[in-house]
Amino acid sequence: MLHISDLHFGPPFLPRVGEALQEIAPRLTPDVIIVTGDITQRAKPSQFEAARRFIDRLPDVPKVIVPGNHDVPLYRIRERLSRPLDLYRKYMTPELDGVLRLERAVILWLNSTSPYRAISNGRIHLDQLAYSRKVLADASPETVKFIAAHHHFHPAPDYERDQTMPKAKRAMDIFVELGVDMIFGGHLHRAYIGNSLDVYAGADREHGIIIVQCGTTTSRQGRGREREKNSFNFVEVDGDLLHVTHYLYFEGEGFSPISRHTFPRPGRRVADASRLRGSLA
């Protein structure tokens, strides 16, 4: 699975970085591409059109796309209040919440934008949690469960203290109960790959959820340790192991892998420790 985020088509978009992504994506042979929001900078038709053309050039595999707060009009107040995601639905996908079922996995995507109350920080509502329960509760124990949203349920544990979504802990407890293995997110403009237990112990301290935050893949707005940098993630399922390789853009070289993270599925045990050894060779 190729995980990209925060493309920010418009003034912040970096064409040379976008072309580097187009070059490497086919070589990775992803079976799914996940785009976790902020596809545009100001939700303008021209920006959505350019983003749609760009996404269509990526490998022809199923794509999971979620909106971000920048995909909602900010200054066009009447449009934001009456039809905030009309352009997103027109150019990206009409389904704001949805599910992609694969042979060994299920990917649930949730719209975390909140055009009326919380433009930046987002929301996940009770009806979305009920939908999550309906989708995931009947999945077999062998099915790997993924969730994709733009806003972060879990802050990156660095010096930048980002405000998570209101009621994020409520959602996390439900996701743990449902056996969610991994959450994909964006919004922070810097990557974080770890476990929800790093920050929030929750009610179940045995499982947690693997958190995979993507930096900004194609804009000049990287933050923190990825300031003015661009990144994406590549996820592989290997039985009860999940491998996450983090890629960073280097000027004149393109995207290169800089770290590999291997996790047992939350709550699972691995008898052979050698299988946990990540490698970039």
PDB file of all heavy atoms in Angstrom, residues 42-45 48 71-81 84 87:
ATOM      1  N   ARG A  42      -6.694  25.402  -1.556  1.00  0.00           N
ATOM      2  CA  ARG A  42      -7.845  26.252  -1.249  1.00  0.00           C
ATOM      3  C   ARG A  42      -9.139  25.756  -1.896  1.00  0.00           C
ATOM      4  O   ARG A  42     -10.057  26.533  -2.140  1.00  0.00           O
ATOM      5  CB  ARG A  42      -7.566  27.692  -1.677  1.00  0.00           C
ATOM      6  CG  ARG A  42      -6.653  28.437  -0.724  1.00  0.00           C
ATOM      7  CD  ARG A  42      -7.333  28.719   0.613  1.00  0.00           C
ATOM      8  NE  ARG A  42      -6.407  29.247   1.602  1.00  0.00           N
ATOM      9  CZ  ARG A  42      -5.996  28.573   2.682  1.00  0.00           C
ATOM     10  NH1 ARG A  42      -6.440  27.344   2.901  1.00  0.00           N
ATOM     11  NH2 ARG A  42      -5.167  29.125   3.520  1.00  0.00           N
ATOM     12  N   ALA A  43      -9.214  24.460  -2.188  1.00  0.00           N
ATOM     13  CA  ALA A  43     -10.466  23.847  -2.656  1.00  0.00           C
ATOM     14  C   ALA A  43     -11.048  24.548  -3.885  1.00  0.00           C
ATOM     15  O   ALA A  43     -12.261  24.691  -4.022  1.00  0.00           O
ATOM     16  CB  ALA A  43     -11.503  23.822  -1.514  1.00  0.00           C
ATOM     17  N   LYS A  44     -10.163  24.978  -4.801  1.00  0.00           N
ATOM     18  CA  LYS A  44     -10.612  25.624  -6.026  1.00  0.00           C
ATOM     19  C   LYS A  44     -10.793  24.582  -7.129  1.00  0.00           C
ATOM     20  O   LYS A  44     -10.081  23.575  -7.155  1.00  0.00           O
ATOM     21  CB  LYS A  44      -9.600  26.677  -6.465  1.00  0.00           C
ATOM     22  CG  LYS A  44      -9.443  27.825  -5.492  1.00  0.00           C
ATOM     23  CD  LYS A  44      -8.422  28.832  -5.997  1.00  0.00           C
ATOM     24  CE  LYS A  44      -8.285  30.007  -5.029  1.00  0.00           C
ATOM     25  NZ  LYS A  44      -7.284  30.995  -5.507  1.00  0.00           N
ATOM     26  N   PRO A  45     -11.730  24.817  -8.050  1.00  0.00           N
ATOM     27  CA  PRO A  45     -11.920  23.848  -9.138  1.00  0.00           C
ATOM     28  C   PRO A  45     -10.640  23.538  -9.897  1.00  0.00           C
ATOM     29  O   PRO A  45     -10.357  22.384 -10.212  1.00  0.00           O
ATOM     30  CB  PRO A  45     -12.964  24.532 -10.031  1.00  0.00           C
ATOM     31  CG  PRO A  45     -13.723  25.418  -9.107  1.00  0.00           C
ATOM     32  CD  PRO A  45     -12.730  25.911  -8.104  1.00  0.00           C
ATOM     33  N   PHE A  48      -8.505  21.146  -7.847  1.00  0.00           N
ATOM     34  CA  PHE A  48      -9.050  19.790  -7.869  1.00  0.00           C
ATOM     35  C   PHE A  48      -8.811  19.129  -9.231  1.00  0.00           C
ATOM     36  O   PHE A  48      -8.503  17.931  -9.295  1.00  0.00           O
ATOM     37  CB  PHE A  48     -10.541  19.807  -7.557  1.00  0.00           C
ATOM     38  CG  PHE A  48     -10.860  19.806  -6.078  1.00  0.00           C
ATOM     39  CD1 PHE A  48     -11.503  20.881  -5.490  1.00  0.00           C
ATOM     40  CD2 PHE A  48     -10.527  18.722  -5.283  1.00  0.00           C
ATOM     41  CE1 PHE A  48     -11.809  20.875  -4.139  1.00  0.00           C
ATOM     42  CE2 PHE A  48     -10.819  18.703  -3.926  1.00  0.00           C
ATOM     43  CZ  PHE A  48     -11.461  19.791  -3.353  1.00  0.00           C
ATOM     44  N   ASP A  71      -9.506  20.904   1.745  1.00  0.00           N
ATOM     45  CA  ASP A  71     -10.396  20.555   0.635  1.00  0.00           C
ATOM     46  C   ASP A  71     -11.795  21.118   0.846  1.00  0.00           C
ATOM     47  O   ASP A  71     -12.713  20.849   0.062  1.00  0.00           O
ATOM     48  CB  ASP A  71     -10.440  19.031   0.457  1.00  0.00           C
ATOM     49  CG  ASP A  71      -9.060  18.477   0.164  1.00  0.00           C
ATOM     50  OD1 ASP A  71      -8.332  19.103  -0.629  1.00  0.00           O
ATOM     51  OD2 ASP A  71      -8.689  17.439   0.752  1.00  0.00           O
ATOM     52  N   VAL A  72     -11.951  21.897   1.895  1.00  0.00           N
ATOM     53  CA  VAL A  72     -13.184  22.634   2.190  1.00  0.00           C
ATOM     54  C   VAL A  72     -12.902  24.119   1.952  1.00  0.00           C
ATOM     55  O   VAL A  72     -11.855  24.623   2.386  1.00  0.00           O
ATOM     56  CB  VAL A  72     -13.608  22.408   3.657  1.00  0.00           C
ATOM     57  CG1 VAL A  72     -14.763  23.321   4.037  1.00  0.00           C
ATOM     58  CG2 VAL A  72     -13.975  20.947   3.877  1.00  0.00           C
ATOM     59  N   PRO A  73     -13.784  24.856   1.263  1.00  0.00           N
ATOM     60  CA  PRO A  73     -13.539  26.296   1.057  1.00  0.00           C
ATOM     61  C   PRO A  73     -13.392  27.012   2.400  1.00  0.00           C
ATOM     62  O   PRO A  73     -14.214  26.832   3.304  1.00  0.00           O
ATOM     63  CB  PRO A  73     -14.781  26.773   0.305  1.00  0.00           C
ATOM     64  CG  PRO A  73     -15.358  25.534  -0.304  1.00  0.00           C
ATOM     65  CD  PRO A  73     -15.036  24.413   0.643  1.00  0.00           C
ATOM     66  N   LEU A  74     -12.345  27.805   2.519  1.00  0.00           N
ATOM     67  CA  LEU A  74     -12.124  28.534   3.766  1.00  0.00           C
ATOM     68  C   LEU A  74     -12.730  29.927   3.702  1.00  0.00           C
ATOM     69  O   LEU A  74     -13.488  30.323   4.583  1.00  0.00           O
ATOM     70  CB  LEU A  74     -10.624  28.629   4.054  1.00  0.00           C
ATOM     71  CG  LEU A  74     -10.219  29.416   5.309  1.00  0.00           C
ATOM     72  CD1 LEU A  74     -10.818  28.776   6.557  1.00  0.00           C
ATOM     73  CD2 LEU A  74      -8.706  29.515   5.425  1.00  0.00           C
ATOM     74  N   TYR A  75     -12.435  30.660   2.640  1.00  0.00           N
ATOM     75  CA  TYR A  75     -12.879  32.050   2.544  1.00  0.00           C
ATOM     76  C   TYR A  75     -14.191  32.206   1.787  1.00  0.00           C
ATOM     77  O   TYR A  75     -14.829  33.260   1.883  1.00  0.00           O
ATOM     78  CB  TYR A  75     -11.785  32.897   1.874  1.00  0.00           C
ATOM     79  CG  TYR A  75     -10.479  32.848   2.634  1.00  0.00           C
ATOM     80  CD1 TYR A  75      -9.336  32.282   2.076  1.00  0.00           C
ATOM     81  CD2 TYR A  75     -10.392  33.355   3.932  1.00  0.00           C
ATOM     82  CE1 TYR A  75      -8.139  32.223   2.770  1.00  0.00           C
ATOM     83  CE2 TYR A  75      -9.203  33.300   4.636  1.00  0.00           C
ATOM     84  CZ  TYR A  75      -8.076  32.734   4.054  1.00  0.00           C
ATOM     85  OH  TYR A  75      -6.900  32.676   4.757  1.00  0.00           O
ATOM     86  N   ARG A  76     -14.607  31.200   1.029  1.00  0.00           N
ATOM     87  CA  ARG A  76     -15.905  31.261   0.333  1.00  0.00           C
ATOM     88  C   ARG A  76     -16.963  30.776   1.330  1.00  0.00           C
ATOM     89  O   ARG A  76     -17.399  29.621   1.313  1.00  0.00           O
ATOM     90  CB  ARG A  76     -15.856  30.401  -0.929  1.00  0.00           C
ATOM     91  CG  ARG A  76     -14.690  30.776  -1.849  1.00  0.00           C
ATOM     92  CD  ARG A  76     -14.753  30.175  -3.231  1.00  0.00           C
ATOM     93  NE  ARG A  76     -14.888  28.736  -3.299  1.00  0.00           N
ATOM     94  CZ  ARG A  76     -13.866  27.872  -3.292  1.00  0.00           C
ATOM     95  NH1 ARG A  76     -12.621  28.310  -3.148  1.00  0.00           N
ATOM     96  NH2 ARG A  76     -14.071  26.579  -3.420  1.00  0.00           N
ATOM     97  N   ILE A  77     -17.330  31.663   2.215  1.00  0.00           N
ATOM     98  CA  ILE A  77     -18.118  31.297   3.401  1.00  0.00           C
ATOM     99  C   ILE A  77     -19.447  30.666   3.025  1.00  0.00           C
ATOM    100  O   ILE A  77     -19.849  29.637   3.593  1.00  0.00           O
ATOM    101  CB  ILE A  77     -18.363  32.532   4.297  1.00  0.00           C
ATOM    102  CG1 ILE A  77     -17.034  33.180   4.692  1.00  0.00           C
ATOM    103  CG2 ILE A  77     -19.155  32.127   5.539  1.00  0.00           C
ATOM    104  CD1 ILE A  77     -16.133  32.277   5.489  1.00  0.00           C
ATOM    105  N   ARG A  78     -20.168  31.268   2.075  1.00  0.00           N
ATOM    106  CA  ARG A  78     -21.486  30.736   1.703  1.00  0.00           C
ATOM    107  C   ARG A  78     -21.356  29.303   1.191  1.00  0.00           C
ATOM    108  O   ARG A  78     -22.141  28.422   1.553  1.00  0.00           O
ATOM    109  CB  ARG A  78     -22.126  31.623   0.649  1.00  0.00           C
ATOM    110  CG  ARG A  78     -23.507  31.153   0.218  1.00  0.00           C
ATOM    111  CD  ARG A  78     -24.159  32.124  -0.729  1.00  0.00           C
ATOM    112  NE  ARG A  78     -24.388  33.431  -0.101  1.00  0.00           N
ATOM    113  CZ  ARG A  78     -24.928  34.465  -0.718  1.00  0.00           C
ATOM    114  NH1 ARG A  78     -25.302  34.355  -1.988  1.00  0.00           N
ATOM    115  NH2 ARG A  78     -25.094  35.609  -0.092  1.00  0.00           N
ATOM    116  N   GLU A  79     -20.335  29.059   0.372  1.00  0.00           N
ATOM    117  CA  GLU A  79     -20.115  27.702  -0.147  1.00  0.00           C
ATOM    118  C   GLU A  79     -19.727  26.741   0.971  1.00  0.00           C
ATOM    119  O   GLU A  79     -20.169  25.597   1.009  1.00  0.00           O
ATOM    120  CB  GLU A  79     -19.018  27.742  -1.210  1.00  0.00           C
ATOM    121  CG  GLU A  79     -18.771  26.417  -1.897  1.00  0.00           C
ATOM    122  CD  GLU A  79     -17.674  26.515  -2.945  1.00  0.00           C
ATOM    123  OE1 GLU A  79     -17.266  27.650  -3.288  1.00  0.00           O
ATOM    124  OE2 GLU A  79     -17.222  25.452  -3.415  1.00  0.00           O
ATOM    125  N   ARG A  80     -18.885  27.217   1.894  1.00  0.00           N
ATOM    126  CA  ARG A  80     -18.453  26.348   2.995  1.00  0.00           C
ATOM    127  C   ARG A  80     -19.633  25.939   3.870  1.00  0.00           C
ATOM    128  O   ARG A  80     -19.693  24.802   4.362  1.00  0.00           O
ATOM    129  CB  ARG A  80     -17.397  27.050   3.851  1.00  0.00           C
ATOM    130  CG  ARG A  80     -17.060  26.312   5.143  1.00  0.00           C
ATOM    131  CD  ARG A  80     -15.699  26.678   5.663  1.00  0.00           C
ATOM    132  NE  ARG A  80     -15.533  28.056   5.982  1.00  0.00           N
ATOM    133  CZ  ARG A  80     -15.881  28.616   7.142  1.00  0.00           C
ATOM    134  NH1 ARG A  80     -16.449  27.874   8.083  1.00  0.00           N
ATOM    135  NH2 ARG A  80     -15.661  29.888   7.370  1.00  0.00           N
ATOM    136  N   LEU A  81     -20.591  26.830   4.052  1.00  0.00           N
ATOM    137  CA  LEU A  81     -21.725  26.532   4.922  1.00  0.00           C
ATOM    138  C   LEU A  81     -22.818  25.730   4.227  1.00  0.00           C
ATOM    139  O   LEU A  81     -23.549  24.986   4.873  1.00  0.00           O
ATOM    140  CB  LEU A  81     -22.302  27.832   5.487  1.00  0.00           C
ATOM    141  CG  LEU A  81     -21.376  28.622   6.418  1.00  0.00           C
ATOM    142  CD1 LEU A  81     -22.046  29.906   6.870  1.00  0.00           C
ATOM    143  CD2 LEU A  81     -20.958  27.777   7.620  1.00  0.00           C
ATOM    144  N   PRO A  84     -20.011  22.332   1.405  1.00  0.00           N
ATOM    145  CA  PRO A  84     -18.565  22.395   1.658  1.00  0.00           C
ATOM    146  C   PRO A  84     -17.724  21.399   0.885  1.00  0.00           C
ATOM    147  O   PRO A  84     -16.558  21.669   0.602  1.00  0.00           O
ATOM    148  CB  PRO A  84     -18.467  22.148   3.168  1.00  0.00           C
ATOM    149  CG  PRO A  84     -19.722  21.408   3.519  1.00  0.00           C
ATOM    150  CD  PRO A  84     -20.774  21.970   2.613  1.00  0.00           C
ATOM    151  N   LEU A  87     -17.188  20.151  -4.447  1.00  0.00           N
ATOM    152  CA  LEU A  87     -16.106  20.027  -5.423  1.00  0.00           C
ATOM    153  C   LEU A  87     -15.276  18.778  -5.162  1.00  0.00           C
ATOM    154  O   LEU A  87     -14.854  18.097  -6.107  1.00  0.00           O
ATOM    155  CB  LEU A  87     -15.219  21.274  -5.393  1.00  0.00           C
ATOM    156  CG  LEU A  87     -15.827  22.537  -5.995  1.00  0.00           C
ATOM    157  CD1 LEU A  87     -14.928  23.736  -5.770  1.00  0.00           C
ATOM    158  CD2 LEU A  87     -16.093  22.337  -7.492  1.00  0.00           C
TER     159      LEU A  87
END
